[in-house]
Amino acid sequence: MTVRRKVAVLISGRGSNMQALVRACARPDYPAKIVLVLSNRADAAGLDFAREAGIATEVISHKDFPDRASFDAAMDAEIHRHGAGLVCLAGFMRLLDTVIIEAWRDRMINIHPSLLPSFRGLDTHERALEAGVKLAGCSVHFVRPDVDTGPIIAQAAVPVLPGDTPDSLAARILEQEHLIYPMALRLLAEGRVRVEGGRAVVDAPTATVSLRNPDLP
Ligand code: GAR
């Protein structure tokens, strides 16, 4: 029988990555189960999807707390109350304090829409286009106190095409996000990722989806 690790997913909006994780968790052999979808915004569209999927949801608004530390503490308590042992940030757009990040060290992962360490932070697609990169992509990584840093578990690359806009590039990357996030969570839940010397060592043939060159056989 598949042992399922309990996971809390933190969102702030649309929640399409959370939905990809929920769909993966519906597979009988998937080693994780989402026990909580937590949002800092009551109007996050992803909450409706989670509720309809029968998953416990909670809203903890950062606006109700005097500082980051007390907001984080409330979220941490809620995550524990639901028995989660792993945390996935999925479009969660609040910075977290070092205390909660260290408390969940190597058990909290994030997805970011760039090939890290390039283009950390916001407006990634705009900045990738401005820089004229020919490949863009997404990364799943362990969370560390510096934003969008941390050992990289999985990445996927997509081409940047002539005429791309931030939206068209974002859409191409998002398709890949929905593939690599469930893959990375599976690897973590199965205990096939360890951190050594600041890098994630992944016990899998590849945790990177690389482009096929159409000119090669
Ligand atoms: C995703 O593209 C995710 O990679 C990005 O926000 C979007 C959320 O979409 N996250 C970050 O930029 C974090 N630095 P979703 O709510 O549909 O999953």
Side-chain angles (χ1 to χ4, degrees), residues 14 125 165-178:
R14 178 178 58 185
H125 309 105
T165 63
D167 284 349
S168 64
L169 182 57
R172 192 174 310 120
I173 292 173
L174 192 66
E175 278 180 28
Q176 300 301 314
E177 294 185 40
H178 297 165

Side-chain angles (χ1 to χ4, degrees), residues 17-70:
N17 277 292
M18 174 271 293
Q19 293 180 30
L21 295 175
V22 169
R23 278 193 286 274
C25 288
R27 296 174 61 99
D29 67 338
Y30 198 77
K33 168 190 170 128
I34 297 173
V35 293
L36 172 66
V37 172
L38 177 55
S39 172
N40 64 310
R41 297 180 56 118
D43 62 354
L47 286 171
D48 288 335
F49 176 90
R51 285 186 198 111
E52 278 161 28
I55 297 166
T57 61
E58 297 288 344
V59 176
I60 299 182
S61 172
H62 53 280
K63 293 180 184 154
D64 294 340
F65 295 86
D67 52 31
R68 205 183 291 287
S70 54

